[in-house]
Amino acid sequence: MAAKQYKSGDVVVSYDPDLCIHAAECVHGLPRVFDTQARPWIQPANATPEEIRAVIGKCPSGALEFRAMTTPAPTPPSTPSGVTVTVKPNGPYLVQGGAKVCDIAGVVLKEGAVLALCRCGQSAGKPFCDGTHGRVGWRS
């Protein structure tokens, strides 16, 4: 499934449900913008671009992206060694620092500063985590 875009003024929020691990950082961080009970569930007009960018920066899977049409996005912080992979207890591999995931033919599936990769083997969107580990009670 392709990413969905939500626009308000010169702010565009993209959401890729295939990458979402349902950590709910967005919902808890800015509920007036990210409200799963509302339609559409993302309403960028309800906060400043700075507030939205800050909350999207906490998304552990890279499912949310922020774009301001008039100002460039900040350069993501890099780690001294480049890419960092963190094993989340009972959860996915979190890849941070800029990475590219390709299929066997070398076609880029997703490129981003933050990615969450399936560790339980149950995701419907492998190799990306979709949060199934939590629904099926998978433990590492």
Side-chain angles (χ1 to χ4, degrees), residues 19-26 55-64 88 92-96 113-117:
L19 299 179
C20 186
I21 63 170
H22 307 289
E25 292 291 333
C26 56
V55 168
I56 288 176
K58 296 177 183 176
C59 177
S61 67
L64 289 168
K88 296 299 286 183
Y93 297 108
L94 294 182
V95 182
Q96 298 173 302
V114 181
L115 299 167
L117 302 178

Side-chain angles (χ1 to χ4, degrees), residues 66-138:
F66 174 91
R67 187 172 77 239
M69 307 305 258
T70 57
T71 58
T75 305
S78 61
T79 58
S81 62
V83 176
T84 301
V85 178
T86 305
V87 178
K88 296 299 286 183
N90 306 318
Y93 297 108
L94 294 182
V95 182
Q96 298 173 302
K100 187 185 305 183
V101 177
C102 302
D103 67 11
I104 196 163
V107 175
V108 177
L109 300 174
K110 176 73 177 170
E111 185 172 3
V114 181
L115 299 167
L117 302 178
C118 179
R119 200 160 68 102
C120 73
Q122 302 297 312
S123 173
K126 288 191 270 313
F128 305 103
C129 177
D130 66 1
T132 299
H133 61 273
R135 290 188 295 280
V136 300
W138 182 81

